[in-house]
Amino acid sequence: MTPLEEVRQLVLSFCSRQAPVNLPRAEAAGQVLAADVVATEPVPPFANTAVDGYALIAADTANGSCELQVIGEVAAGAVSSLTVTPGTAIRIMTGAPIPAGCDAVVMVEDTERVGDNHVKVNRVVDSGAAIRNAGSDVAVGATVFTAGTRISPMVEGVLASINAKTVQVYPQVRVGVMSTGDELVDDGSPLQPGHIRESNRTMLLRIIEEAGATAIDLGIVRDNEAVLEQALRDALNVHGCDALVTSGGVSMGDYDVVKAVLGRIAKMHWFQIAMKPAKPFAFGTLSNSKGVAVPVFGLPGNPVSSLMSFELIARPALRTMMGFTDAFRPRVRAVLDEDVKRGEDGKVHFDRVHATWGHDGRVHVVRSGAQGSHQLAATSAANAIMAIPDGTGVQAGSEVVVTFLGPDSGPFRP
Ligand code: AMP
Ligand code: MG
């Protein structure tokens, strides 16, 4: 058996970052910048007011109370042609450019209107008050984002604010997903004897999208070598996949056709990983018609095993190809709240757990339910995976290492 870490190292050595591309900003959302972004426009583009109020000369308010003549008004989107002189003010709305002559804005709450064209200011206003200077958010020439930054919704907003119309990013990986097995049904029809409903591909397609890649549904492929070989070649040369994920057919069964076909047409590594679940795992590369070596992840068919090997091996590899600096899911040390017994078998056990935030400010975990590799329903209640090292188990109160699952799987603070 090979330690998980060794398998991961080998897989990652074949999964380097893809060549960067230039994309329109909106199409690049969620992806990783391949180059620094330097601002060519200041934000804000001009000095403007942070409040609704009156633009004035701060020195006029030095005594703590004064009355000024209101000579005009200016709203956001307009520019005043008037100049503020001592003893005058201009009514101004949030976001409007600061008129000539003034050096501060007093908020309307600190004033009283007197008649039609005067205002009383009831406080001392400092020079510069409530003025947002040009470039005070982003200055021209500033490196706003460095390569490796993920384009989050906030980053996308900033890119819009500096008019970055296109950005250089690592492209999304197109990941083809196929399930293999004569027993699988996904069309809703009544089950024939020996048949089961497909679940892995359904799950993996979504997890791949959530990981930031494009998932291509390659359907169910029957346990037939010729059909499978054609499906694999079409995945690369018709669907243009940059990576392939197969489920099933990589263990020791007589009809494990994925093993037979990939063993013949691809450069493969067959693993028995020192972990439970998901001991059988295959990884290799298959050449497309252009001679590009496309990574192939051969996941085991048991649904929980499929999920575990995707999470622990394929996901970080795919994210590395897309330039993510955080290719791995977040890990924390957590307190185990129950005894977990296991036997010595040379493997690390990855139990599915439910993690919550305890009153002691630490993450606490208990197992989420049954731990069989076919029991996806019990696993679906988990929000994390706990590593139990080889041995006889871990006692309640011990510290364990936990990897969170899913985008919103972190434990909530009560
Ligand atoms: P295999 O790895 O092909 O030997 O499959 C191992 C177990 O997983 C068998 O019980 C299969 O029926 C089951 N299995 C394989 N593929 C799927 C799938 N896509 N969805 C649900 N169960 C599957
Ligand atoms: Mg099978």
Side-chain angles (χ1 to χ4, degrees):
M1 289 189 293
T2 315
L4 173 62
E5 213 33 60
E6 218 171 281
V7 177
R8 271 211 279 234
Q9 289 307 319
L10 180 123
V11 169
L12 286 172
S13 73
F14 283 94
C15 297
S16 40
R17 281 197 306 237
Q18 303 198 111
V21 292
N22 282 312
L23 286 183
R25 183 179 67 237
E27 284 175 36
Q31 291 169 246
V32 176
L33 289 170
D36 294 355
V37 174
V38 176
T40 55
E41 287 186 5
V43 185
F46 51 85
N48 67 89
T49 171
V51 297
D52 293 315
Y54 292 87
L56 46 69
I57 294 167
D60 281 349
T61 69
N63 294 333
S65 175
C66 66
E67 200 169 298
L68 304 171
Q69 186 196 349
V70 181
I71 59 172
E73 66 166 38
V74 60
V79 175
S80 177
S81 57
L82 302 170
T83 298
V84 177
T85 53
T88 71
I90 292 177
R91 173 85 172 111
I92 192 167
M93 316 314 157
T94 304
I98 301 298
C102 63
D103 67 345
V105 176
V106 62
M107 66 199 295
V108 71
E109 291 87 337
D110 291 335
T111 69
E112 281 167 49
R113 196 74 190 215
V114 180
D116 277 348
N117 47 19
H118 282 79
V119 66
K120 194 161 171 253
V121 180
N122 300 318
R123 53 167 295 172
V124 176
V125 181
D126 295 331
S127 181
I131 294 179
R132 304 187 287 208
N133 286 318
S136 58
D137 186 14
V138 179
V140 171
T143 300
V144 193
F145 301 114
T146 52
T149 303
R150 187 183 82 91
I151 304 178
S152 67
M154 281 176 288
V155 169
E156 194 179 349
V158 175
L159 292 171
S161 78
I162 60 171
N163 198 30
K165 287 186 229 152
T166 62
V167 284
Q168 199 179 53
V169 293
Y170 298 105
Q172 281 186 297
V173 175
R174 287 170 64 81
V175 186
V177 184
M178 67 175 71
S179 277
T180 66
D182 284 344
E183 73 279 32
L184 303 176
V185 176
D186 71 347
D187 62 1
S189 60
L191 287 177
Q192 301 301 314
H195 287 188
I196 62 165
R197 309 243 179 242
E198 199 285 332
S199 59
N200 296 354
R201 179 177 113 258
T202 304
M203 166 179 69
L204 291 166
L205 287 165
R206 296 282 177 230
I207 299 183
I208 286 167
E209 292 277 342
E210 184 263 308
T214 303
I216 314 284
D217 186 358
L218 302 172
I220 296 172
V221 181
R222 297 305 170 196
D223 290 330
N224 173 297
E225 291 199 22
V227 172
L228 179 62
E229 176 169 351
Q230 193 58 49
L232 290 166
R233 298 212 186 273
D234 286 352
L236 270 51
N237 302 320
V238 177
H239 300 283
C241 295
D242 309 303
L244 285 183
V245 171
T246 66
S247 125
V250 293
S251 47
M252 303 303 213
D254 287 344
Y255 297 94
D256 283 339
V257 294
V258 177
K259 196 163 190 178
V261 173
L262 285 177
R264 183 156 47 73
I265 68 173
K267 289 193 184 126
M268 296 301 294
H269 302 262
W270 307 100
F271 296 106
Q272 299 294 315
I273 307 179
M275 70 187 227
K276 184 182 172 182
K279 184 169 74 142
F281 177 75
F283 175 78
T285 55
L286 179 60
S287 288
N288 68 15
S289 54
K290 294 176 192 139
V292 176
V294 173
V296 183
F297 302 87
L299 313 184
N302 277 308
V304 178
S305 305
S306 237
L307 172 69
M308 289 294 122
S309 38
F310 183 84
E311 279 291 335
L312 296 170
I313 306 166
R315 187 181 186 277
L318 295 172
R319 284 174 66 86
T320 300
M321 291 172 76
M322 294 185 286
F324 286 94
T325 47
D326 55 343
F328 290 89
R329 297 267 198 204
R331 279 194 303 178
V332 298
R333 288 182 196 285
V335 181
L336 178 60
D337 281 349
E338 61 181 345
D339 288 339
V340 171
K341 292 194 171 58
R342 53 158 289 177
E344 278 183 74
D345 58 7
K347 301 177 196 166
V348 178
H349 290 192
F350 287 99
D351 286 6
R352 280 75 64 203
V353 294
H354 191 76
T356 49
W357 212 288
H359 293 296
D360 56 358
R362 304 190 64 190
V363 175
H364 287 249
V365 294
V366 288
R367 283 177 298 180
S368 66
Q371 298 288 324
S373 63
H374 64 296
Q375 289 166 311
L376 188 59
T379 285
S380 70
N383 60 2
I385 310 170
M386 157 177 81
I388 300 289
D390 193 21
T392 54
V394 179
Q395 281 184 336
S398 306
E399 203 170 64
V400 287
V401 175
V402 163
T403 303
F404 289 114
L405 293 170
D408 39 31
S409 63
F412 287 103
R413 228 180 246 276

